[in-house]
Amino acid sequence: MTISMTALWLPILLSTILAWIASMLIHMLLKYHDKDYQPLSNEDEVSAAIRNGNPGKGIHTLPFCVDMKAMGDPAVQAKFAKGPVAMLTIFDNGMPNMAKLVPQQILFFLFGMTLIGYAASLALQPGTDYLVVFRFVSTAAFLTYGWANIPFSIWYGHPWGVTARFMADAFIYAFLTAGVFAWLWPGAA
């Protein structure tokens, strides 16, 4: 007997709300992600140079290479050797639009919780023991919210400490999610 997704609407919704609240508390109260960003000693000069180049919104690389073949060019290799080697994300000018960003974060959690619920509904039966549900859902939630951060340290230069802090967030979201799903898991029919 499988569990329908409609039977999981309450744990999906409640765990979405709890994960969002946890995220808000992490960023506004605990603030351990403040260590994720470092200032440039010449921020004004770098900002002026970027502004003068008028780059479009998106991710830019220094030095820029179209493909791996271009990396074989001695001129490109010299640019890498001289540095800086960087990835730069350009956003829209102005203060972050929280009215746009907060709902996107909530939708991120809602969609993630829906996928977690779907996976659990395929793997677990009605009336499954609390700890079995907790173990399965916490693993799925950690994979959903944490594991994908690792390549940012491998390929994009994010310090491993930043990734570790995002993994800590993922554990918090995973345990909250697992607790809610295990508590509200449908009973045997």
Side-chain angles (χ1 to χ4, degrees):
M1 178 178 203
T2 60
I3 296 174
S4 74
M5 289 300 291
T6 56
L8 297 177
W9 73 268
L10 185 56
I12 289 170
L13 187 59
L14 184 56
S15 58
T16 296
I17 293 166
L18 288 176
W20 182 78
I21 290 170
S23 176
M24 180 185 64
L25 292 173
I26 286 166
H27 291 280
M28 296 176 71
L29 184 65
L30 299 178
K31 297 186 175 209
Y32 56 80
H33 281 287
D34 288 356
K35 299 173 188 171
D36 294 351
Y37 309 101
Q38 303 299 316
L40 291 170
S41 61
N42 59 343
E43 179 180 336
D44 292 338
E45 293 89 352
V46 171
S47 291
I50 293 170
R51 207 172 15 259
N52 289 339
N54 197 25
K57 191 167 81 168
I59 301 172
H60 304 269
T61 59
L62 297 170
F64 176 74
C65 289
V66 173
D67 55 30
M68 293 300 287
K69 183 179 176 185
M71 288 185 149
D73 181 342
V76 172
Q77 290 178 359
K79 286 181 180 182
F80 272 95
K82 184 178 179 182
V85 177
M87 296 187 100
L88 175 69
T89 304
I90 303 293
F91 297 90
D92 288 326
N93 289 346
M95 295 299 293
N97 182 351
M98 298 308 273
K100 177 183 173 186
L101 298 174
V102 169
Q104 287 178 1
Q105 182 71 19
I106 293 169
L107 287 174
F108 165 74
F109 282 123
L110 180 62
F111 189 68
M113 298 305 175
T114 302
L115 291 174
I116 293 163
Y118 178 69
S121 76
L122 295 175
L124 304 172
Q125 296 295 314
T128 299
D129 181 67
Y130 180 96
L131 285 177
V132 173
V133 175
F134 189 94
R135 284 193 311 257
F136 182 88
V137 171
S138 65
T139 301
F142 177 75
L143 291 172
T144 301
Y145 298 114
W147 198 250
N149 288 299
I150 292 173
F152 287 98
S153 286
I154 296 171
W155 294 103
Y156 302 114
H158 291 200
W160 284 100
V162 172
T163 297
R165 286 185 286 279
F166 279 109
M167 300 289 266
D169 297 353
F171 274 116
I172 294 168
Y173 306 148
F175 290 143
L176 287 171
T177 302
V180 169
F181 271 83
W183 171 46
L184 296 173
W185 194 252

